[in-house]
Amino acid sequence: MNVTLFRSWKQRAAAISAALLAVTFAAAPAAAATTAVASYTTTINGDSADVYYPTTGTRLSVALFLQGANVDKSHYSTYASTLASYGFVVAVPNHTRSLFGVSGLYPEGAQAGWAVDWADAEDDNPASPLYKRINENELVLAGHSFGAATALSISAGLCIIPFCAIANIAPSELEAVVTYGGNNVLYGTDLVLPVLNTVPVGYIQGTADGVATTSEGQTTYNLTAGTPKAFIQVAGTNHYGITNGQNPAGALPDASAQTLNQAVGVETIARWSAQWLLAQTGDSAAKKYVYTTGDAADANVTVTYVK
């Protein structure tokens, strides 16, 4: 081959590759507010809670994370710290209560109001690393499994047994909800109840979930009355695609095999959680990602939505 022609071909190939990379990165997720995240342990209404927060920034929204049944808060550290890197104060409490005579880690609807009170106090506390850094007027919810169903009941301001102990009243500060491995199946039945949400709800669903199936998630999304709403499928993750590892001790195991790498799955779920919540709280770059570029840029994700 002519050397000059070969070099010209290589230059053109390099230019094409550079252009493709530019397109790929242009469609990549909006940059996180900060790459540095710190954490500390506190209490929220008596519950021990891990708090993850960006080391810089002010007017930070609080994201309350509601755990899956009997999944200790420690199992969500990677997800929570990744979500925090997008500019959220992420609070992950361990909430213990008795359910049908059995004591365990079971979230409930009242936690949303407790989180608002805690955020107000923390913002006013000179000893807190979050002193004068919290947006006291904005709360978002994220939830997994049992916690996802609890978040859905809060989104509608309803008390649906067993996800509440007292009547739920969605705090006025609540702006949006995102769930993973959640649906609105009536406890103990196969009946899927409508979700009468008053705030936007995004459902993130693992296609390999053997506990909260894709069919149940899709039906719940279809029966969700309020908009915006989205159904975000992550290919190859199962019920514990959100936790640090598979089948955390004490929780109901998922026998369905996960095919997506655990770390990739957690990052994907946290990224889409952040982008959905940011989009619903006014971030234009996140809106573009959720509704335009993100689906095409992420080979592991398929998005259905109604604005």
Side-chain angles (χ1 to χ4, degrees):
M1 178 183 287
N2 181 282
V3 174
T4 302
L5 181 61
F6 177 70
R7 286 175 178 167
S8 175
W9 176 84
K10 285 183 68 179
Q11 290 169 348
R12 290 179 182 178
I16 292 170
S17 295
L20 288 173
L21 284 172
V23 170
T24 299
F25 283 111
T34 176
T35 56
V37 171
S39 65
Y40 66 100
T41 299
T42 185
T43 58
I44 299 178
N45 198 59
D47 293 334
S48 178
D50 295 332
V51 178
Y52 304 82
Y53 64 97
T55 56
T56 60
T58 58
R59 303 291 294 165
L60 302 171
S61 299
V62 171
L64 172 65
F65 183 83
L66 299 171
Q67 67 206 123
N70 290 319
V71 183
D72 187 85
K73 58 187 174 59
S74 62
H75 295 293
Y76 298 107
S77 61
T78 303
Y79 170 86
S81 60
T82 304
L83 180 57
S85 76
Y86 285 84
F88 294 96
V89 173
V90 183
V92 189
N94 261 356
H95 183 59
T96 302
R97 65 182 173 112
S98 179
L99 187 63
F100 305 128
V102 178
S103 181
L105 296 171
Y106 303 115
E108 64 174 290
Q111 288 180 256
W114 300 340
V116 170
D117 293 341
W118 168 82
D120 289 347
E122 204 72 356
D123 191 60
D124 293 336
N125 181 7
S128 170
L130 296 171
Y131 178 57
K132 299 301 182 187
R133 297 183 59 201
I134 292 176
N135 181 353
E136 298 179 48
N137 298 315
E138 201 163 83
L139 174 73
V140 295
L141 296 180
H144 171 222
S145 192
F146 193 102
T150 304
L152 293 179
S153 71
I154 297 170
S155 79
L158 298 175
C159 181
I160 300 174
I161 303 296
F163 308 115
C164 63
I166 58 174
N168 285 335
I169 298 177
S172 60
E173 294 84 357
L174 183 61
E175 297 287 338
V177 169
V178 69
T179 68
Y180 180 75
N183 52 57
N184 212 31
V185 175
L186 181 62
Y187 189 78
T189 77
D190 295 324
L191 178 65
V192 180
L193 299 176
V195 178
L196 306 177
N197 54 310
T198 59
V199 296
V201 174
Y203 300 89
I204 304 179
Q205 173 73 48
T207 62
D209 196 325
V211 175
T213 67
T214 299
S215 175
E216 292 169 332
Q218 181 73 64
T219 301
T220 301
Y221 168 77
N222 293 340
L223 293 175
T224 298
T227 57
K229 63 178 181 177
F231 190 61
I232 302 161
Q233 296 184 73
V234 182
T237 58
N238 68 7
H239 200 60
Y240 296 103
I242 193 173
T243 50
N244 295 347
Q246 284 289 295
N247 295 327
L252 176 69
D254 187 353
S256 177
Q258 179 163 278
T259 57
L260 188 65
N261 174 272
Q262 189 76 23
V264 173
V266 174
E267 188 281 327
T268 301
I269 295 161
R271 169 166 35 93
W272 277 93
S273 295
Q275 296 296 343
W276 171 258
L277 295 172
L278 287 169
Q280 308 317 312
T281 53
D283 187 292
S284 58
K287 286 182 180 179
K288 182 177 180 181
Y289 186 75
V290 169
Y291 298 123
T292 306
T293 63
D295 193 336
D298 194 333
N300 297 316
V301 168
T302 303
V303 181
T304 303
Y305 65 84
V306 178
K307 286 187 179 181

